[in-house]
Amino acid sequence: MAKVSRETPSTPEAARRAFPSARLGLAERFAGLLATEGVVRGLIGPREAERLWDRHLLNCAALESALPHGSRVCDVGSGAGLPGLVLAIARPDLSMELVEPLLRRTTFLDEVAAELGLTNVTVTRGRAEALHGQRTFDVVTSRAVAPLARLLEWSMPLVSPTGAMIAMKGSSVADEIEAAAGVLDGLGCATPEVLELPGVGEGPGARAVRVRWARRSGPAGRRRRAS
Ligand SMILES: C[S@@+](CC[C@H](N)C(=O)[O-])C[C@H]1O[C@@H](n2cnc3c(N)ncnc32)[C@H](O)[C@@H]1O
């Protein structure tokens, strides 16, 4: 793994408030690795390197306010670690499992986690669906992975009976919720909540949709009823 180079983007003031002071150095090293190795390995577009903090790290850090203390979190489709590694850095109390099918990306995730000494991160290579029926989590996050309807099918079977899926979304969120009405109903989900998560200081906020189970019985309960 390349060392942080001259290309490392300078740290904006908002980052000093978004990350605990003891973890800011880790966030800076992650930004440096994304801007160098991330670009070289084609995980981040070259133009993204200039806007790494606002568009990526701080945007993902805004999600942390929606995660209960000590949660077991699965980040579906982590890519280069967004939001999974950002959350693991910002919140050492979280236990993060990053699920990503592509080897090139899981190699990068493993290397970054090792280089930064992130003991609260597990990287799992595979599709989210491969974990269905095996494991559940308090929160299942995602960013830029799939339209909501498909994301629900991949993510909700991983959500514990009292947990939630929290998917970062953009301006299309209302349309995506409407398009997912049949899937929401079929899976037994509660009405989705749109979260407008404030940024810290001058930093960007984030929009996300949170979906819980309607009956707090989760997938196991639904299976029992079906049989
Ligand atoms: C557009 S990238 C987004 C990556 C990252 N979340 C971000 O915001 O930069 C979508 C990622 O989802 C992964 N992916 C696609 N289908 C998946 C599935 N069924 N389960 C888990 N990950 C999946 C892809 O390999 C890819 O890394």
Side-chain angles (χ1 to χ4, degrees), residues 131-210:
L131 300 183
H132 292 181
Q134 292 185 28
R135 295 224 279 295
T136 59
F137 300 84
D138 302 315
V139 183
V140 179
T141 59
S142 55
R143 188 183 88 145
V145 172
L148 183 61
R150 204 175 316 147
L151 206 50
L152 286 162
E153 288 172 336
W154 291 348
S155 300
M156 287 308 292
L158 302 178
V159 173
S160 73
T162 55
M165 175 187 106
I166 305 182
M168 300 181 76
K169 286 289 173 189
S171 53
S172 64
V173 65
D175 291 343
E176 289 195 43
I177 291 172
E178 201 177 317
V183 176
L184 285 161
D185 186 48
L187 287 171
C189 301
T191 304
E193 305 160 74
V194 175
L195 310 176
E196 299 290 350
L197 303 162
V200 181
E202 300 295 302
R207 179 176 297 134
V209 57
R210 177 165 61 199

